[in-house]
Structure formats: structure tokens, C-alpha cells
Amino acid sequence: EVKASESAKQNVASMSKWLDSSLHGGQKLNCIVNAAGGFMMDDISSENFYDQLETMWNWNSVSAFQCATLAQKYLCTNSSSLLVLTGAAPAFNATPIMLSYGTSKVVVHHLVRTLSATECMPSTSKTVGIVPVTIDTPSNREAMPDMDFSAWTKPEVFAQTIYGWTSNDNADIVNGGLYQFDTKNNQTTVTLKS
């Protein structure tokens, strides 16, 4: 169980203990997905900027590091094993009205690319980033009721795509790739960003 009151290191230890008790006989996981995260709007002059920066760092960046730590130990060593971290399309550009969010997601993009180049990850496994523009969630709909929801990506689209990647040998998936999900009229295209 992950607890906000515990340190990142303590949470990784708790998750490791749970995985050790759940996986038997040397079992490993074929896919680990970091679906944790959040969004806040702010800029460097916001009165609560540093509070929000810490929150975005923990929700978006630290959770990605925690998943990577777990993947290093528990991910299978086969050609379909995958670590999926969640980036954000706005982080490819300046994010002046969502500085802490954008900064925390740039860290995730960097982590994806770095993990693909390291030897500490299980051999033949891949690390990729899913890069949403806007996810169609109840909280996003509540926060932005006047937006065009047909341009938002439904969570099940991410799930189906990731499942497809792990169901095959994912030979077409680029290790270290950042895959942007663009949705228009409820149709989603997935593009590898360079």
C-alpha cells in the first residue's frame, strides 16, 4: 500500500514487500504502468507555487521513479516486457501557466529516455512514455465543462494500446519512445515524438 505519509523509499519498500508476497516461484511482471499523477495550474509568481511544485514533483515525477525502481527488480526479461510512464504533451513546450506540472512531466520524459539507455533495466525490456494531451476523466470534465470532450483521450484507449504493445513482441515499439495520443472527434492517433 502506498501512503502519502511515508517517504518515497518507504513506499517502494512496501510495494516490494507486497510484490514479493504476491509473486511466487520467481514470477515477474510483463508490464508495469505508472498511472499516478495530477495537474495543477500555477506560475513562478503564484503564492502557493512551492507547495504545488512539491505536490507535482511527488505525484508525477517521484511516482515515475518509484515505478522504475520496481520495474528494475520485477519486470520480465523478455521482448514484450514494458515499463510505461506517463508524460504530458504540454511538457514538450513552455508551460507558463502550469509551471510545476510541466516541469514535473519533463522529468518523466527524461527518465523514459534515460532508462532506455541504462543497463540496470531487465534485458530486452523496454521503457516508453505515453504522452496525453488531455485525458477524459470526470475531474477534467468538471474542471473544464466548456471544452470539446471529443478531443480528449479516454482512459480505455491508453489501456487498449498498452495491452496491444504487450500482447505482441512489441518489436515496433521504440525503447525510450514518447508516444503522443492525439484525439479528434473521438478518434485517437498515436505518434512517436522525437
Side-chain angles (χ1 to χ4, degrees):
E1 177 180 353
V2 174
K3 297 179 183 175
S5 62
E6 292 185 349
S7 71
K9 185 177 180 179
Q10 289 170 318
N11 278 318
V12 168
S14 295
M15 288 302 299
S16 292
K17 184 177 179 182
W18 178 78
L19 286 166
D20 287 339
S21 69
S22 300
L23 300 172
H24 304 288
Q27 288 178 314
K28 299 279 184 172
L29 302 171
N30 199 51
C31 185
I32 295 176
V33 179
N34 179 22
F39 173 83
M40 292 180 168
M41 294 184 71
D42 56 31
D43 62 39
I44 199 73
S45 66
S46 299
E47 186 175 314
N48 61 346
F49 174 73
Y50 286 98
D51 294 329
Q52 291 193 183
L53 177 62
E54 185 174 353
T55 299
M56 290 292 89
W57 171 256
N58 286 322
W59 288 359
N60 297 325
S61 303
V62 172
S63 66
F65 283 105
Q66 290 170 315
C67 283
T69 301
L70 294 170
Q72 174 268 323
K73 182 176 180 184
Y74 295 102
L75 205 57
C76 293
T77 55
N78 65 48
S79 61
S80 66
S81 65
L82 199 58
L83 170 62
V84 181
L85 303 178
T86 305
F92 287 126
N93 300 298
T95 55
I97 62 168
M98 48 184 154
L99 180 58
S100 62
Y101 172 78
T103 304
S104 69
K105 290 298 189 173
V106 166
V107 169
V108 175
H109 295 183
H110 181 78
L111 182 59
V112 167
R113 291 184 170 130
T114 300
L115 291 174
S116 73
T118 185
E119 294 181 13
C120 69
M121 296 299 287
S123 64
T124 71
S125 69
K126 293 182 180 176
T127 302
V128 298
I130 56 172
V131 183
V133 175
T134 306
I135 303 174
D136 190 357
T137 64
S139 59
N140 280 345
R141 284 184 178 231
E142 184 179 323
M144 301 175 277
D146 298 326
M147 300 301 289
D148 177 9
F149 301 148
S150 73
W152 293 5
T153 308
K154 297 187 181 319
E156 55 266 25
V157 172
F158 299 106
Q160 291 164 352
T161 301
I162 293 166
Y163 178 77
W165 288 342
T166 59
S167 297
N168 302 311
D169 69 0
N170 74 34
D172 295 337
I173 302 304
V174 174
N175 192 18
L178 298 169
Y179 289 89
Q180 184 166 317
F181 287 65
D182 290 296
T183 302
K184 292 182 182 166
N185 299 319
N186 294 311
Q187 298 298 313
T188 302
T189 57
V190 181
T191 308
L192 176 63
K193 301 298 279 189
S194 54

